[in-house]
Amino acid sequence: MGGTNVWDAEWAVNEEQARTLIGRQFPQLSSKQVKRLGWGWDNTVFLIGDEYVFRFPRRTIAVGSIRIEGKLLPKLEAYMTIPYPKPLFYGEASDGYPAPFLGYAYVPGDFPIGLTEERRALSAETLAKFLRRLHEFPVQAALKCGVQQDHRSLTDIASRKVKLEGFLSKVVEHLSPEESGVMEAYISRLQTDRVEAVNALLHGDLHFKNMLVNENGIVSGIIDWGDLSVGHPACDLSVAYSFLPPYARGVFFETYGGADEETKLLARLIAVYIPVLILMQAIDDGNEAIAAEAKSNIMRALSD
C-alpha cells in the first residue's frame, strides 16, 4: 500500500524483479546486467547493460504517462535539439507486475549537481533552443496522443502561492534564517492571482534531476518525460531561473524568442515551487546532496 507522502510507491520493483520482467518479454536482453539507477515520484529506473534504460511505474497515476510517452516521444524526434530517451521496448502488464513499462535508448551524462554558475551559463542557448523547438510542436497532435491540457492549473498563481506557504512551513527548519527570509519576502510580494492561459507542448518537469550534463557541465540530455502535457510555456521556462545564473537569462530569453512579464513571473514561481517539492522529498529520503542542490536552485531563482 502507498504511504503518507505523494511520492511513496504503490509498487516497488527491485533489480531481481526487473530482470525477470524484462527477460520474460524481451528475451534478447536477458543476458544483460540490470542495475537500479534511481527513482522519482512516479517511476523506478534501471540500466540494462550499458545501452538501455527501463522505467517501471511506482504509482497508478504514472501508468497513463508511460502510455503517452510511448506514443508521443517517437513523434518528437524531428523537434529535439538535445538527446532524449526514445522508447524502444514496450512492456505490457502481467501477473508479475500490474502496469506497462518502457525501455529506452540510454542517454549518457551526469546530473548537474554542484556546478559553478559559470558552467551553468554555458547552457543558456542550448536550453533556449531546445525549448523553442519543443514548444513549436503542434498542440493538436499532442492532444491526439492523449496528453492532458493544463491539468495542474499552471496559471492559477493564487492557489500555488497558498501551497508554497504550506510547503515552506514544513521545510523551514532545514533552511538558514537568510534562506527562509528570502523565501518569505518573495511569497509576500507575489500579488498576481492568475496569468492568461497560453498553450504549448511541455516537458512539464524540467529541473536538475531530469537534466544531464557532459564532462564540461553543458546540458547533454533531457530525461523523464512523464509529465508531458499541454499548458503554459512558463512551466518549462522556469529552468531559466532555477538552473541559470541571473546574468545568463537575457541570452536565454533572446534565443528562445522573448517572453512577456507574466510569463517570467510564472516561470520564476515554478522555479521555486518545484525545487521546494524536491527539497521535501530529499529531506524525507535523507539525501543531503539533493537537498543542498534544491536549496541552491531556490536561492538562484530568487536572485536577480
Side-chain angles (χ1 to χ4, degrees):
M1 289 297 292
T4 56
N5 296 311
V6 291
W7 51 79
D8 288 331
E10 291 171 40
W11 320 299
V13 179
N14 61 31
E15 288 176 358
E16 195 54 47
Q17 288 170 303
R19 184 179 291 109
T20 301
L21 292 165
I22 292 166
R24 275 185 195 153
Q25 295 193 38
F26 309 106
Q28 70 272 37
L29 303 180
S30 58
S31 64
K32 293 187 181 293
Q33 188 176 5
V34 174
K35 178 186 170 191
R36 190 174 74 167
L37 285 179
W39 65 94
W41 286 27
D42 293 337
N43 300 282
T44 309
V45 186
F46 297 89
L47 180 63
I48 313 304
D50 54 8
E51 307 144 89
Y52 309 113
V53 165
F54 273 73
R55 288 167 73 228
F56 290 83
R58 303 171 79 229
R59 309 189 295 151
T60 307
I61 198 169
V63 172
S65 300
I66 281 278
R67 292 194 197 283
I68 289 166
E69 279 186 59
K71 286 182 193 167
L72 186 51
L73 284 181
K75 297 178 190 294
L76 296 184
E77 190 159 9
Y79 291 79
M80 288 293 104
T81 60
I82 297 177
Y84 76 111
K86 295 170 200 148
L88 301 171
F89 302 97
Y90 291 73
E92 293 298 329
S94 65
D95 291 344
Y97 179 71
F101 55 95
L102 273 183
Y104 314 75
Y106 174 59
V107 179
D110 297 306
F111 292 119
I113 293 174
L115 291 183
T116 64
E117 299 301 281
E118 291 75 20
R119 285 281 168 110
R120 292 168 181 279
L122 297 175
S123 292
E125 289 186 48
T126 303
L127 284 167
K129 286 174 184 169
F130 160 71
L131 289 175
R132 186 177 72 205
R133 286 293 286 144
L134 175 64
H135 294 168
E136 286 170 356
F137 187 85
V139 165
Q140 288 307 316
L143 294 172
K144 276 184 188 168
C145 289
V147 303
Q148 292 181 281
Q149 186 161 351
D150 199 32
H151 62 296
R152 288 172 290 174
S153 304
L154 290 170
T155 56
D156 183 355
I157 290 177
S159 67
R160 200 166 288 265
K161 177 181 174 179
V162 171
K163 286 180 187 170
L164 192 55
E165 286 170 330
F167 297 154
L168 180 57
S169 69
K170 291 180 181 175
V171 300
V172 69
E173 67 193 74
H174 298 273
L175 301 173
S176 70
E178 183 190 2
E179 287 167 341
S180 58
V182 168
M183 282 190 68
E184 283 165 9
Y186 166 70
I187 292 169
S188 68
R189 287 197 310 272
L190 201 57
Q191 297 303 323
T192 305
D193 285 343
R194 178 176 286 278
V195 298
E196 199 172 328
V198 183
N199 284 320
L201 176 65
L202 307 174
H203 174 279
D205 198 23
L206 200 55
H207 55 73
F208 70 89
K209 289 179 76 180
N210 291 336
M211 299 160 66
L212 300 172
V213 294
N214 63 20
E215 64 278 7
N216 298 315
I218 296 170
V219 174
S220 59
I222 303 292
I223 60 171
D224 193 347
W225 292 74
D227 281 299
L228 273 166
S229 54
V230 166
H232 202 295
C235 180
D236 290 347
L237 296 174
S238 62
V239 76
Y241 294 92
S242 60
F243 184 80
L244 295 177
Y247 66 84
R249 291 172 193 156
V251 170
F252 173 91
F253 283 114
E254 192 179 318
T255 306
Y256 176 77
D260 61 23
E261 289 311 306
E262 275 198 347
T263 297
K264 289 180 177 179
L265 181 127
L266 180 55
R268 193 191 294 266
L269 172 58
I270 294 170
V272 175
Y273 190 90
I274 291 176
V276 167
L277 287 171
I278 294 171
L279 175 60
M280 286 165 63
Q281 185 179 9
I283 291 166
D284 190 54
D285 290 342
N287 191 325
E288 290 180 16
I290 296 291
E293 183 65 27
K295 283 195 263 191
S296 77
N297 274 238
I298 295 164
M299 291 302 110
R300 188 177 300 108
L302 294 178
S303 301
D304 285 315

